[in-house]
Amino acid sequence: MHITRKQFTIAALAAAALSGAWAQGAYPARTVAFVVPAAAGGTTDIAARMAAQALAPVLGQSVVVDNKGGGNGAIAAGIVKRAEPDGYTLLMQYSGFHVISPHLAKAPQWEQKDFQPIANVLSAPQIIVVREGLPVKTLQELIAYAKANPGRLNYASSGNGSLQHVTGAMLEQQGGIKMVHVPYKGTGPALQDLLGGQVDLTFGTAPPFMPHIAAGKLRVLAVTGKERLASLPDVPTTAEAGYPGVNATSWFALFAPAAVPKPVIDRLAADMKKVVEDPAFRKKAQEQGASADYLGPQQLGERVKADFSNWAGVIKSSKIQAE
């Protein structure tokens, strides 16, 4: 039977459509990995594990968490950037690494265009936490202590260029004080040294600190957001304490390699929406001092652009340099 060029073209298009439909229906066919740019124990890790556990039954496949801390997020970002763009290797990203660290990297290993946004999972303000033995109970007392003991206080962060680092620089600038910055490879290791008394204070989102605050092993002085936390109702904001310029909120979001097909991104975004907007997930986030804050691909992309621009100005005014 003779097949015309027109018939061949129609058949080819139909085959392609069927192939595309099959490919979309086939995802996911195996385990999905969330690569985390920090050590276990911090909010990025907590966000990843909460999301992975809740996403697995919705997605219909196992979701594992793979911690790859170091390089101010560059190690994890590099792994996901180079991964097969099939939707099985994703980046659970921390905002400080995504929109602050790139401004400080001397030799950038990735760019914004290497990733496409999927969904925001959690958002949380930073809190200011001090070790149990530090003789201060309020933010005003901390500033006074720092002025009376110049250069004696040190603060931990999850790395140079992290939001904790920038928050510390903002506090120095606003309070007219000077502290020693001690960078770590994630909030988990920083928290351990804070509990051990090796560092005096740190800044971070509340989830990993809450058990230790409740146990009296750490003291929280202030919340850097615009409103008090429901989980810490008696803790004032930095604005209430007289330092409105110290205002920092982190977000934790899922990204994919740039070439992942749109149907896969759409599937992941839709399933993450179900996860983040589930009442049980929202309650668990709130109990830990965070908020379940869903943004879809377009909204997350807009947030990335706005924050990338805004933090460039903060870094410049705070005179933060790459180390």
Side-chain angles (χ1 to χ4, degrees), residues 21 34 44 53 64 68 99 103 108 135 142 150 162 176 181 193 200 214 220 270 276 309 312:
F34 286 175
T44 316
Q53 182 179 19
V64 300
K68 296 294 182 183
V99 297
H103 293 295
L142 178 71
S162 64
H181 173 224
D193 273 8
D200 297 313
V220 56
V276 177
S309 176

Side-chain angles (χ1 to χ4, degrees), residues 130-136 194-195 197 199-200 215-219:
V130 300
R131 60 180 174 83
E132 183 182 11
L134 196 68
V136 300
L194 181 64
L195 288 167
V199 288
D200 297 313
K217 296 180 180 179
L218 297 176
R219 188 180 303 119

Side-chain angles (χ1 to χ4, degrees), residues 197-239:
Q198 281 77 40
V199 288
D200 297 313
L201 69 148
T202 193
F203 311 86
T205 47
F209 300 98
M210 293 297 284
H212 308 292
I213 293 169
K217 296 180 180 179
L218 297 176
R219 188 180 303 119
V220 56
L221 305 184
V223 176
T224 66
K226 296 180 180 179
E227 299 177 355
R228 294 192 181 197
L229 284 172
S231 54
L232 295 168
D234 298 327
V235 178
T237 66
T238 46

Side-chain angles (χ1 to χ4, degrees), residues 73-91:
I75 293 175
I79 289 171
V80 178
K81 170 188 172 181
R82 295 187 297 271
E84 188 73 24
D86 52 15
Y88 291 100
T89 304
L90 307 173
L91 180 67

Side-chain angles (χ1 to χ4, degrees), residues 45 55 87 99 125 129 138 143 164 182 208 224 235 237 247 294 304:
D45 177 67
L55 179 63
V99 297
V129 189
T138 66
I143 298 295
Q164 293 100 315
V182 185
T224 66
V235 178
T237 66
N247 187 352
Y294 177 81
V304 168

